[in-house]
Every structure is written in C-alpha cells, then in structure tokens.
Amino acid sequence: MKLLFVADPLEAFKTYKDTTFAMMREAAARGHQILACEPAQLVWERDGRVSAVCRDITLTGGLDPWFEERGRVRLALAELDAVVMRKDPPFDSEYFYATHLLQQAERDGARVFNKPSALRDHPEKLAIMEFPQFIGPTLVTRDEQAIKRFHAEHQDIILKPLDGMGGMGIFRVGPDGLNLGSITETLNKQGTQTVMVQRYLPEIVKGDKRILVIGGKPAPFSLARIPQGSEIRGNLAAGGKGVAQPLSARDREIAESIGAVLAPRGLLLIGLDVIGDSLTEINVTSPTCFQEITQQTGFDVPRMFVDALEAAVSRA
C-alpha cells in the first residue's frame, strides 16, 4: 500500500518515543510505501482533486538519521491507499482547515484515518460529555458564578482550557478557594472563553491512564502517567513517569463501550485518559504511548494499529 502520513516535520520526530514513527516503522516492515507531508503541503485547486507535495521516504533502521528521502512528488490523495492524519495539536484554525481539505479528499475517493469530520466532531475535552456514566462531576461554562458554585459543592476542583494539550493550563483549587477568581479570569478571558471544571480525583497519584482503542478494541495495557514531585499533572510532557499496566475491569468496560460508539464514526484510533474509574478525556488527533507500552510489556501496539489500518482499507 501507499500510505501518506500527514504529520509534523519529520526532522522534529523524537524517534525513541514517537508514535507516528512507530506506525511508519511497522508499515515499512510489511513492505508498504511510506510518504509524508505537513498540512501546509495540502493543495486544492479549482476543478481539481486535493493533492499534497509528498516526501517519499525509506527508513534507515537507525535513529539518526532515521529516514532517507528518495524524492518529492505531488499526488492526489485519492491515488493513495490510505492517508493517516497525525498532526499534533493545537486544534487551531489551520488544523480545522486541514480537516476540510482532507474531507474534500474523501469526496475525491481518498481514505483518511481518523476521519476528518470525526476529528472536528469530537473535541478532546468536550467529547467525554457524551458518556456521563463514565465521568466524574464536570462543568463546561464561561460563567464565573457557575464555577464558584461548582467549587462550593465539590471543594477540590480542576480547571482547564478546552484547547489545552500536554497538561498546559491546568489548575487545581482546593477547599480554601485560593486564587479561584484569578484562575477563572485567566482561563475564561473575562467571560469570552469556555472552561472545563472537574472535581479533583485523588486517584491521580496512581496515574492518569492512557488507554488505546484501535479499531474499536482496547489494547490490553494502559500507560499510567504518574505525577512527579509536587505536580498534579501526569502528562509525560509535564514530567510524568509512564508505567505500563494491564487494563482493569473498569478500564476495559469504558474502552469497549466507547470504542463501540466511536469506531463506527471513523475514529480508527482513540486514546482515552482515565483517572481511577473516571474518564477525563478522549484523544482523537494524534494519540501517543505506542512505544512506551510496547517496550514495557512486549505487546506490539504498532502491529495492532497497522492490522486495523489494513483491515479498514480493505473494507473501504
């Protein structure tokens, strides 16, 4: 197959942990042709199909350099067997426009994973609200008074922006309410931006579990990202320590239930964040942790993904 990965610049990949690299390596090992581009290389001209200036690469088998470029070619996305959208957040206006170009490519006949419309329809923070049976007390609002009432009820809360990533902009406010007003003003921009507020989950000390759901089925291990020192955030980008562990019965219940709903919508790969028994986020843009789970458990997550990708292409 010819596989195009729409991603960040290849030169910026941290191959020792990068999930997109792990996908490419597994696909290349099976003999698939690997191409790559950035969203900036997507092109749509009048009366034409959406195309991209693609880098045709081979993997060296090493880490520095990890690829060699054989050349660049402009291809219509519909000419490829699959397009894998792996651009990292933020989900800004350019990401939004990229999903529209990819959706037009689908109309041309391209097969895109994850489905562009599904990327838009499932904001990673808000998507959890569809599954109230799996989440803790949660409020989404711009209203400062509503946030104060939520704090008065739950005492210990977490506030975060809807467009944050890697743990950015997450605040905890305890029973004393110290700095709640200032934090609210910072996040809601004087009432102009929406904020998510959740009851603090003390189980975070045991880790924020990343559960991968591929083709609607959960990988058997999660990566518990455990906060270090005085941090409340377990995100690896915020210094959390990743420890792989088998799924609990509750983890599996959450993953199988959500996978059964979201996979048919075109979300081949999702990453669920679970603290204790509560779902806190649904990642759909570029879920990670493939390499950490594989290295610590021996379970081959990239193989599971490429199996699912090949099956999805064969069905399309």
Side-chain angles (χ1 to χ4, degrees):
M1 293 195 303
K2 286 185 179 180
L3 303 180
L4 172 64
F5 290 82
V6 182
D8 291 297
L10 301 181
E11 289 78 7
F13 278 27
K14 296 178 180 178
T15 51
Y16 66 92
K17 68 174 184 176
D18 193 281
T19 288
T20 305
F21 167 71
M23 293 174 174
M24 290 178 171
R25 183 171 56 188
E26 175 65 21
R30 301 187 188 199
H32 299 312
Q33 183 179 354
I34 307 300
L35 301 112
C37 77
E38 299 169 40
Q41 274 77 63
L42 297 173
V43 178
W44 184 18
E45 293 188 52
R46 186 181 68 174
D47 295 330
R49 296 183 294 178
V50 174
S51 64
V53 178
C54 306
R55 303 174 75 175
D56 184 0
I57 66 171
T58 57
L59 276 62
T60 65
L63 297 181
D64 188 19
W66 65 270
F67 73 94
E68 293 177 352
E69 185 175 320
R70 294 187 294 198
R72 302 194 181 198
V73 58
R74 180 168 170 174
L75 295 170
L77 271 56
E79 296 174 13
L80 302 161
D81 294 289
V83 178
V84 183
M85 178 53 161
R86 288 290 300 174
K87 174 69 178 72
D88 283 341
F91 197 111
D92 55 14
S93 58
E94 286 303 319
Y95 194 108
F96 178 78
Y97 299 143
T99 67
H100 279 287
L101 292 177
L102 292 172
Q103 188 170 9
Q104 177 58 35
E106 286 185 318
R107 298 186 189 104
D108 298 336
R111 294 167 289 271
V112 185
F113 307 93
N114 282 329
K115 191 174 180 64
S117 59
L119 291 174
R120 292 197 304 273
D121 290 346
H122 297 84
E124 298 187 327
K125 302 285 192 302
L126 284 176
I128 66 171
M129 301 297 279
E130 184 178 350
F131 304 97
Q133 70 273 34
F134 297 133
I135 69 176
T138 302
L139 170 70
V140 178
T141 185
R142 298 183 187 184
D143 186 350
E144 180 180 3
Q145 296 306 312
I147 294 172
K148 288 181 177 178
R149 289 193 294 270
F150 188 89
H151 176 263
E153 179 180 357
H154 298 289
Q155 295 294 298
D156 201 350
I157 65 172
I158 294 290
L159 301 93
K160 52 190 175 184
L162 293 181
D163 60 354
M165 60 178 183
M168 288 192 309
I170 294 178
F171 294 89
R172 178 184 178 186
V173 177
D176 60 8
L178 189 64
N179 285 331
L180 177 59
S182 178
I183 291 169
T184 300
E185 291 170 4
T186 298
L187 292 179
N188 80 347
K189 308 293 186 186
Q190 302 292 329
T192 63
Q193 293 192 10
T194 305
V195 179
M196 175 169 277
V197 193
Q198 296 172 302
R199 184 178 66 191
Y200 174 72
L201 300 171
E203 297 90 343
I204 184 61
V205 297
K206 297 180 180 179
D208 180 358
K209 294 173 286 187
R210 166 59 55 82
I211 301 171
L212 296 167
V213 183
I214 300 171
K217 301 183 182 302
F221 297 91
S222 69
L223 190 75
R225 296 158 299 170
I226 302 171
Q228 301 296 295
S230 60
E231 266 290 353
I232 61 167
R233 301 171 297 172
N235 309 74
L236 299 182
K241 178 182 179 182
V243 178
Q245 58 189 37
L247 298 189
S248 68
R250 174 66 168 178
D251 293 340
R252 188 170 293 279
E253 177 192 6
I254 294 171
E256 289 178 346
S257 298
I258 293 176
V261 174
L262 298 189
R265 297 179 186 174
L267 292 170
L268 182 71
L269 170 63
I270 60 177
L272 306 178
D273 290 348
V274 174
I275 299 175
D277 289 338
S278 297
L279 175 70
T280 61
E281 194 164 322
I282 299 176
N283 296 269
V284 300
T285 51
S286 57
T288 60
C289 300
F290 277 33
Q291 293 207 59
E292 293 88 345
I293 292 173
T294 298
Q295 290 162 3
Q296 293 185 38
T297 69
F299 179 80
D300 197 330
V301 184
R303 176 181 294 178
M304 181 181 179
F305 174 78
V306 178
D307 283 347
L309 178 63
E310 289 175 341
V313 170
S314 68
R315 293 192 300 268

